[in-house]
Amino acid sequence: AKKRGRGRVEFFTDGLRAQVVETKQTADDILRALEQGEFVAFFQPQFDARTRDIDGVEALVRWEHPERGLLAPDAFLRIAESLNVMHRIDEIVLDQALFHLRQWQAAGLAIPRVSVNISAQRLLEGGLLEKIEDLRFDPGSLCFELLESISFEDDDDAVLNTIERLKALGVDIEIDDFGTGHASIVNLLKLTPRKLKIDRQLITPILDSQRERQLVSSIIDIGRTCGIGIVAEGVETMDHAALLSDMGCQTLQGYAFARPMRAADFLAFALAHESR
Ligand code: C2E
Ligand code: CA
Ligand code: CA
Ligand code: CA
């Protein structure tokens, strides 16, 4: 038993060591990737539930890793946050999103807006307002998606202040992952977001579970009462899309329509969709 016990300890120690080494490697790797420009924005269209026109597009970061291939945020965002470089990744994605939006509009695409996920780190980093003021573009074509949890953490006032000033410039604010955090809806409504995005965890079960269906329906009702649009994310089937449209949800996003894709593929997709 003693031997087995010791073996077990070694087993865990080795596992832990491997994990630490891996994290360390990824951390060094992220810093190198920032220098090498390996982070790219992918784009996933959002659809008007009624007309099924594209009424926006969300930028989602990917890491084009030279050895590991294309990596989704799961593989690196937590480590990037702990390295305090999340604001740099957000900056890269914001720049690419605005660059491509201009190109798409120049190519004749009627795309009103691009949405960018923004971390608390980036909001607090400073320079964001100045940057948006300096850009020669319509701030109304930019939307920031903020996690439901973002505004009521430690740096409340600074975050709220930045949000207010962004809104004064005309930038839209959307609450992301709604229904998964603990923020009260009263507090969220104080931000007067343009839209609330209902998290995929609530959307997926709506066909089978009355509980989630009613919850989503109530959120849509609150949105209607308060004049805030509702976006459903993770819409994976046309049955989900049909039900959500019937319930009065305004915007749909998910694999049922399109996956996140490269900027060039998005342009081709959107042009084909416009002439459908
Ligand atoms: P999110 O903002 O909630 O984005 C939605 C996630 O769901 C994306 O995952 C998207 O690819 C995925 N998705 C979209 N439609 C479907 C569907 O029908 N079914 C399923 N199963 N998934 C779907 P992704 O791209 O892996 O991003 C994960 C999270 O990473 C995002 O969640 C967001 O919180 C964060 N993130 C992504 N890009 C950025 C960024 O540039 N900055 C910051 N701060 N966070 C980012
Ligand atoms: Ca988002
Ligand atoms: Ca989500
Ligand atoms: Ca999320």
Side-chain angles (χ1 to χ4, degrees), residues 2 5 21 49 57 73 97 109 126 128 130 139 147 170-171 180 264:
K2 197 176 167 194
V21 170
V57 58
L109 205 65
L128 190 60
E130 291 75 8
L147 291 179
V171 175
T180 59

Side-chain angles (χ1 to χ4, degrees), residues 220-228:
I220 294 171
D221 287 344
I222 292 172
R224 194 180 295 120
T225 308
C226 302
I228 296 168

Side-chain angles (χ1 to χ4, degrees), residues 21 30 108 121 163 169 180 193 199 229 235 245:
V21 170
I30 288 177
Q121 237 177 54
I163 291 173
L169 289 177
T180 59
D199 194 65
V235 180
S245 305

Side-chain angles (χ1 to χ4, degrees), residues 41-44 46 55-61 93-94 97-98 101 104 111-118 140-146 171-174 176 194-195 197 231 251 253:
F42 270 46
F43 296 93
Q44 186 181 33
Q46 303 173 327
D55 78 349
V57 58
E58 179 178 6
L60 293 156
V61 70
V93 172
L94 174 62
L98 293 175
L101 181 69
W104 297 330
I111 182 103
R113 161 179 332 98
V114 66
S115 297
V116 176
N117 295 285
I118 192 113
S141 57
L142 177 63
C143 171
F144 282 132
E145 297 193 6
L146 309 179
V171 175
D172 278 329
I173 299 297
E174 190 168 314
D176 207 351
R194 204 179 85 91
K195 287 182 175 173
K197 187 186 273 197
V231 186
T251 310
Q253 179 180 358

Side-chain angles (χ1 to χ4, degrees), residues 44 58 61-62 73 90 117 176-177 200 233 236 254-255 260:
Q44 186 181 33
E58 179 178 6
V61 70
R62 297 291 181 266
D90 284 351
N117 295 285
D176 207 351
D177 285 6
R200 183 171 82 226
E233 75 169 16
E236 291 191 348
Y255 295 170

Side-chain angles (χ1 to χ4, degrees), residues 71-112:
L71 301 180
D74 268 4
F76 58 89
L77 275 199
R78 268 215 343 268
I79 300 172
E81 261 161 33
S82 67
L83 289 173
N84 272 313
V85 295
M86 206 47 232
H87 63 283
R88 290 177 63 188
I89 294 180
D90 284 351
E91 191 75 4
I92 291 167
V93 172
L94 174 62
D95 288 344
Q96 291 186 15
L98 293 175
F99 171 80
H100 290 301
L101 181 69
R102 276 208 198 87
Q103 292 222 316
W104 297 330
Q105 288 174 339
L109 205 65
I111 182 103

